[in-house]
Amino acid sequence: MIRKIIHIDEEKCNGCGICAQACHEGAIDIVNGKAKLVRENFCDGFGDCLPGCPTGAITFEEREAPAYDEAAVKAAQTQKAIDKLNNINVKAPAAGGCPGSQFMNLRKEESSGQPVYNEKPISRLGQWPCQIKLLPTQAPFYEGAKLLIAADCSAFAYANMHEEFMKGRITLIGCPKLDAVDYSEKLTEIIANNNIKEVCIVRMEVPCCGGLQKAAEIALKNSGKFIPWQVVTISRDGRILE
C-alpha cells in the first residue's frame, strides 16, 4: 500500500540515537553507527522521531510500505517491558552519538523588573542544544519564538548577555570560521517551518563573524517571511558598537 512513512538520510545521520529513543513503536535501530528504519510495519507515520533529530536527517515520504501493524507493536512493547523486569539487556542505541544533543525546552518563568545583582544570576538559556549544527529544524520551543542567532564568542565578550539578549529568546550559537559550514540552509528551514516572531543577530566585530550575519540574512530572505530583525555588534572588549 502507498502510505506516509519516515525516510532517514544516512549521510546526515550522526548516529546519536535520539530518534530510536523517541520512536515508541520500536521501528528504528542504530545499525553500524547509523539510524535505520528496520521495521516498516512498526512505523505509524506520525513522526515522533522527527523533531528530536539534531541534523535534520529524518523526513516524511509517501511510498509503497507494509501497513502499520498495531498488534505487533503492542506485542513487542509488552515483551520489552517483560525483559526489562527480568533484567534482560534491552538493545540500546549504539555508542558514537551524543546523548547530550537530545533537545529540551528550558523556558523558565520570566521575572518582572530588573535583575537583582546581589543574588545568584539566572541562566536565560531557553532550550538545549544551542549550537546551530546540533539544533533540530523543527521543535516545540520554536513555536512563537524570538530567535537569538549569536556568535559563540559574544557571550564571553559581553558580560550581560543572558539578561539583555538571551532572556525571552531561543538561542542559536555558532562560529562560521571554526565550524567551516554555511548555516544559511538550516537557518532557512528553522525560520520557514516554524512560527518565528523576530530575529536578533549578535556578532563580534571581527571579520569572520560576518559569515554568521550573512547566513542569517540569507535565511530571512529565503524563508519568504517578513520578520522583524536587527543586528548588534560586540567589540572585543565587550562594548556594543551598533
Side-chain angles (χ1 to χ4, degrees):
M1 63 180 296
I2 302 295
R3 70 180 184 96
K4 185 169 73 171
I5 196 167
I6 65 160
H7 170 73
I8 302 173
D9 185 335
E10 290 191 21
E11 290 188 5
K12 291 183 178 180
C13 177
N14 65 2
C16 67
I18 293 173
C19 58
Q21 296 174 39
C23 180
H24 305 295
E25 291 73 28
I28 302 172
D29 279 347
I30 304 299
V31 181
N32 296 325
K34 297 286 185 178
K36 290 186 181 294
L37 178 60
V38 294
R39 304 170 192 89
E40 293 187 348
N41 62 323
F42 280 29
C43 178
D44 59 11
F46 290 154
D48 289 345
C49 56
L50 190 150
C53 181
T55 63
I58 303 176
T59 55
F60 286 119
E61 63 178 353
E62 287 201 11
R63 62 173 174 83
E64 184 71 33
Y68 171 60
D69 191 340
E70 186 177 3
V73 169
K74 288 183 176 180
Q77 290 172 334
T78 300
Q79 187 60 51
K80 185 176 180 180
I82 292 171
D83 290 346
K84 188 173 183 180
L85 286 172
N86 291 332
N87 294 318
I88 297 175
N89 289 329
V90 178
K91 188 174 181 180
C98 176
S101 64
Q102 185 168 6
F103 80 83
M104 296 174 62
N105 190 339
L106 305 176
R107 281 184 177 172
K108 311 166 186 71
E109 255 187 64
E110 303 293 354
S111 58
S112 59
Q114 296 297 317
V116 180
Y117 291 103
N118 60 354
E119 293 183 0
K120 191 174 180 180
I122 299 172
S123 170
R124 299 300 185 182
L125 184 63
Q127 90 296 333
W128 185 265
C130 56
Q131 285 280 352
I132 296 172
K133 61 183 179 180
L134 297 180
L135 276 159
T137 55
Q138 291 182 287
F141 49 70
Y142 291 129
E143 176 59 31
K146 300 175 180 179
L147 294 189
L148 170 65
I149 301 173
D152 49 15
C153 295
S154 61
F156 294 94
Y158 193 68
N160 207 28
M161 189 73 172
H162 280 252
E163 291 298 328
E164 289 188 40
F165 293 107
M166 292 172 61
K167 184 178 178 180
R169 292 186 171 104
I170 293 300
T171 302
L172 295 74
I173 67 170
C175 175
K177 184 174 183 178
L178 295 181
D179 288 345
V181 64
D182 180 3
Y183 297 127
S184 60
E185 184 177 344
K186 189 166 193 179
L187 291 175
T188 298
E189 289 188 53
I190 291 172
I191 295 171
N193 297 325
N194 298 279
N195 181 25
I196 305 301
K197 295 299 185 183
E198 64 178 57
V199 174
C200 177
I201 304 160
V202 176
R203 55 162 294 181
M204 297 298 296
E205 63 176 333
V206 293
C208 56
C209 253
L212 182 68
Q213 179 180 341
K214 182 178 179 182
E217 290 175 349
I218 290 172
L220 284 160
K221 180 180 178 181
N222 291 346
S223 72
K225 295 182 177 180
F226 295 96
I227 298 174
W229 63 284
Q230 62 171 321
V231 178
V232 179
T233 302
I234 307 295
S235 70
R236 281 167 282 191
D237 60 354
R239 295 174 293 114
I240 294 179
L241 298 180
E242 57 180 76

